[in-house]
């Protein structure tokens, strides 16, 4: 850094330091206190100069003029410099302050108690350590020049001692003020970063919630509405083929279509409202699975056997002591497995079994269809089911081989 820049850095307050470093309310209270103290001390100085013996009669007018000029400079330059951190006005005010205190040192040394006010004003105006030290030294030397050089004045050693004490006090105060402002600025920066991070986290959490809700709706639509619509399409095609040859059978298919459509409408309302599945509304899991199997048999004409013997001797409420989300997972697992039987198995018979082993409750859906190689074929519905089951701490097993049928097992922890 060149010499002119170093001198400028020592005299001109830094632009990035200002009253904004403190919290707004605290900074305003501090600035208001500085202004009030300044008014009180300046008023005492005027009173001492006007009616006291601190100023000789022949110098009283000049001293009052200096005090008046200092008051005007404080109002026009000092207040904005202290309150808003204006570097140019701070430099102008400090120049006036140094000159005024230097003149008072010649005209009325008894008014130099104003240094008690001037030293803190330096640090509040500049808010920079190097700049504050520079202006403190200039202020102390200017105020001491008059008393030291006055041949009829006080002893120069006493004046210099008092000036040194005043400068030392000012430097200690200034370092403390600078540290407080610096720490406050760091806290303000950390608070701003924390608020920004909190906002980012809130936005990310909101986005995650939106995605989770989309996935939930997509899974619900796949597990309920899509399967229902598939049944309606298949049943409609079957009914259309039966109309000429067997009207009674066609009417039966149409009745099933109406039933599936009504269930789909109820499921759609439940999905929107995030309720439990319609099949579990007012029914136990055993009852819901039996109704599911009965309707599947009516839709497909396949033989469906339901085995819930493990729960037949339990309480009327099903006795499984399952949470609602676990019941929903087991029901959805049975629905998905039966949908895959309809689409892919080519089966003639299906067994739906509800079992309990140890602390686990499971639903098994087994068919005698064509089977497949689970390692070579990925069924998208089962992949989605695995994600749903994993959310409740359960698991999905698929056992199958070409020509040997398929068994899908959904397990949840239970009680």
């Amino acid at each position: 850094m060149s010499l002119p820049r170093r001198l400028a850095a020592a005299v001109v307050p830094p632009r990035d330091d200002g009253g904004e470093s403190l919290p707004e309310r605290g900074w305003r209270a501090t600035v208001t206190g500085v202004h009030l103290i300044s008014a009180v001390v300046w008023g005492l100085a005027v009173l001492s100069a006007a009616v006291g013996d601190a100023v000789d009669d022949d110098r009283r007018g000049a001293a009052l003029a200096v005090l008046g000029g200092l008051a005007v400079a404080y109002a026009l330059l000092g207040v904005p410099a202290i309150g808003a951190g204006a570097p140019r006005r701070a430099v102008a005010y400090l120049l006036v302050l140094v000159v005024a205190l230097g003149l008072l040192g010649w005209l009325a040394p008894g008014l130099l108690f104003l240094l008690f006010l001037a030293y803190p004003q330096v640090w509040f105006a500049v808010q920079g350590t190097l700049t504050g030290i520079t202006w403190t030294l200039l202020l102390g030397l200017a105020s001491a020049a008059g008393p030291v050089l006055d041949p009829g004045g006080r002893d120069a050693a006493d004046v210099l001692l008092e000036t040194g004490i005043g400068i030392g006090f000012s430097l200690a105060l200034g370092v403390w003020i600078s540290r407080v402002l610096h720490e406050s600025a760091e806290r303000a920066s950390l608070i701003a970063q924390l608020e920004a991070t909190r906002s980012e986290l809130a936005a990310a959490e909101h986005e995650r919630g939106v995605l989770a809700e989309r996935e939930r709706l997509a899974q619900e639509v796949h597990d309920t509405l899509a399967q229902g619509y598939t049944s309606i399409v298949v049943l409609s095609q079957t009914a259309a083929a039966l109309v000429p040859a067997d009207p009674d059978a066609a009417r039966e298919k149409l009745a099933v279509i109406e039933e599936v459509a009504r269930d789909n409408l109820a499921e759609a309302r439940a999905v929107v409202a995030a309720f439990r599945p319609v099949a579990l509304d007012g029914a136990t899991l055993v009852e819901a699975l039996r109704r599911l199997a009965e309707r599947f048999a009516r839709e497909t004409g396949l033989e469906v056997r339901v085995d819930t013997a493990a729960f037949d001797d339990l309480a009327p409420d099903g006795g499984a002591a399952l949470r609602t989300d676990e019941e929903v997972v087991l029901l959805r697992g049975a629905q998905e497995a039966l949908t895959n039987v309809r689409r892919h198995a080519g089966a003639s018979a299906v067994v739906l079994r509800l079992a309990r082993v140890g602390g686990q409750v499971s639903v098994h859906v087994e068919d005698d269809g064509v089977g497949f190689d689970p390692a070579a074929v990925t069924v998208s519905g089962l992949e989605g089911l695995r994600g749903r089951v994993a959310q409740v701490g359960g698991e999905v097993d698929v056992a199958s081989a070409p020509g040997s049928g398929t068994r899908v097992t959904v397990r949840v922890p239970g009680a």
Side-chain angles (χ1 to χ4, degrees), residues 19-28 184 187-188 191:
E20 302 86 357
S21 58
L22 282 173
E24 183 177 357
R25 181 179 300 179
W27 178 250
R28 287 182 178 178
S184 179
R187 285 196 299 270
I191 291 173

Side-chain angles (χ1 to χ4, degrees), residues 244-325:
D246 191 348
D248 291 338
R251 280 193 290 272
E252 171 64 19
K253 296 299 181 182
L254 290 175
V256 177
I257 289 174
E258 181 181 358
E259 180 182 339
V260 173
R262 290 183 183 278
D263 287 348
N264 248 30
L265 178 59
E267 287 287 0
R269 290 170 176 168
V271 167
V272 172
F275 291 155
R276 59 189 285 159
V278 174
L280 289 174
D281 193 10
T284 66
L285 177 62
V286 170
E287 293 169 343
L289 290 174
R290 288 187 180 277
R291 285 202 299 266
L292 175 65
E294 179 184 352
R295 195 175 78 181
F296 180 80
R298 292 173 61 195
E299 293 175 2
T300 61
L302 298 180
E303 178 186 350
V304 181
R305 183 167 63 89
V306 180
D307 180 6
T308 59
F311 291 82
D312 289 345
D313 58 345
L314 297 177
D317 62 356
L322 294 172
R323 302 194 310 267
T324 299
D325 56 346

Side-chain angles (χ1 to χ4, degrees), residues 9-23 26-28 30-31 34-35 78-87 90-91 94 118-136 173-185:
V11 176
V12 180
R15 291 183 177 272
D16 56 347
D17 286 338
E20 302 86 357
S21 58
L22 282 173
W27 178 250
R28 287 182 178 178
T30 302
V31 170
V34 171
H35 295 334
V79 171
I82 294 175
V91 171
L94 292 177
Y119 283 136
Q121 285 184 357
V122 168
W123 292 98
F124 277 100
V126 300
Q127 297 177 23
T129 304
L130 176 60
T131 315
I133 292 174
T134 301
W135 284 105
T136 296
L173 176 65
V175 170
W176 176 77
I177 291 175
S178 296
R179 180 175 298 177
V180 169
L181 293 175
H182 178 69
E183 292 178 353
S184 179

